[in-house]
Amino acid sequence: MKTYKILIPLIVILVLLMWIGSAVFAFYWYGKPDNPGIWGDTFGAINALFSGLALAGVAYAIVLQQKEIESQRIESEQSKAQLAEQNRLITEQLKSMQAAYDFDRRKANAEASPMLRLESSGGNRVTRALHFKNTGGRIVTLSGSASHDCTVTISHREGIQTNGDFSVEVLRMSPEDFPDDVLLSLQCIDTLGNLHDFVYQILKTKSGYRIEQGVAGYRRQSAPPA
């Protein structure tokens, strides 16, 4: 900007000097003209020179403008490439963060998930007593139900800690043998608010009854059931 401020006055001064110089040169070379028209014609050559220089300047300005446009186009393409690379890196970072979050969530759910293990069972044709041990995450609330005409009673149903044990009693409403399959469903809510379903099946065998664990899963519970 400072160069332009100095260059423009110099060009103006140079043009004025050339005009004045041409007039002095014409006066001393050709002498005093006879009329003003002839005096004006002596400036024709310098006018033609300036016209040519002006045309050359316009052409040079057009070339500079084209170079500037090309430079701006290249800078724009470079900026787009840099922006695309930044978006790619951000996308990769978000994917990594999401993967880490999913891993931590699965790990937290696995650590909070209760693991019920049947320790012992016994009883008669009216009552079945089952003893469980929790080897996983802490159980906040626990409930159970059974099919047919059975009722389920759970002791220590509140606040079962890790490695805590509890008892379940399945009582027939009528004094007769248990059916071949009494489906016992235990539900509990862990410390993360997940509602877990633990399904146990009572099977009749020749030697008595056998307890088998079926499908176990969990789903999100917004609030503990009343």
Side-chain angles (χ1 to χ4, degrees):
M1 185 60 68
K2 292 181 179 180
T3 302
Y4 285 125
K5 289 182 179 180
I6 297 174
L7 184 60
I8 292 175
L10 290 177
I11 294 176
V12 173
I13 293 173
L14 180 61
V15 170
L16 293 175
L17 290 176
M18 290 179 68
W19 245 312
I20 295 172
S22 64
V24 173
F25 175 78
F27 181 78
Y28 282 103
W29 185 264
Y30 296 104
K32 185 178 181 180
D34 296 334
N35 57 63
I38 296 175
W39 173 256
D41 292 339
T42 58
F43 293 94
I46 194 67
N47 289 336
L49 176 62
F50 285 144
S51 298
L53 291 175
L55 180 61
V58 171
Y60 182 68
I62 292 174
V63 172
L64 290 179
Q65 186 177 15
Q66 290 178 347
K67 289 183 178 180
E68 181 68 21
I69 293 174
E70 180 67 16
S71 177
Q72 291 178 356
R73 184 185 65 82
I74 294 174
E75 290 179 358
S76 177
E77 291 179 354
Q78 292 177 349
S79 298
K80 289 181 180 179
Q82 292 177 355
L83 182 60
E85 180 65 16
Q86 289 177 357
N87 290 335
R88 186 188 67 81
L89 293 176
I90 292 174
T91 301
E92 293 296 330
Q93 290 177 354
L94 291 176
K95 288 182 179 179
S96 299
M97 293 172 62
Q98 183 65 38
Y101 170 75
D102 292 339
F103 174 78
D104 292 339
R105 184 179 60 180
R106 290 193 298 268
K107 181 180 178 182
N109 284 329
E111 292 176 350
S113 177
M115 299 284 293
L116 303 187
R117 184 177 64 195
L118 180 65
E119 294 290 299
S120 62
S121 66
N124 50 45
R125 64 188 183 94
V126 178
T127 302
R128 299 298 299 174
L130 311 175
H131 183 72
F132 291 92
K133 180 178 287 293
N134 175 27
T135 60
R138 181 176 180 270
I139 298 176
V140 179
T141 61
L142 179 67
S143 61
S145 61
S147 59
H148 304 288
D149 54 349
C150 299
T151 60
V152 177
T153 303
I154 302 176
S155 58
H156 306 292
R157 68 165 58 224
E158 295 294 337
I160 300 177
Q161 302 286 341
T162 302
N163 296 325
D165 56 353
F166 61 96
S167 299
V168 176
E169 184 180 66
V170 183
L171 175 65
R172 290 283 294 173
M173 300 301 294
S174 57
E176 59 187 41
D177 288 339
F178 277 90
D180 293 341
D181 56 342
V182 175
L183 193 63
L184 174 63
S185 176
L186 297 178
Q187 291 184 335
C188 63
I189 296 178
D190 63 20
T191 54
L192 295 181
N194 294 321
L195 177 61
H196 297 258
D197 296 328
F198 299 89
V199 180
Y200 291 85
Q201 192 174 23
I202 303 175
L203 299 179
K204 182 183 294 185
T205 63
K206 293 181 179 179
S207 59
Y209 291 95
R210 186 177 75 253
I211 309 298
E212 290 185 355
Q213 183 175 2
V215 179
Y218 72 90
R219 58 184 183 273
R220 191 67 184 175
Q221 179 78 4
S222 58

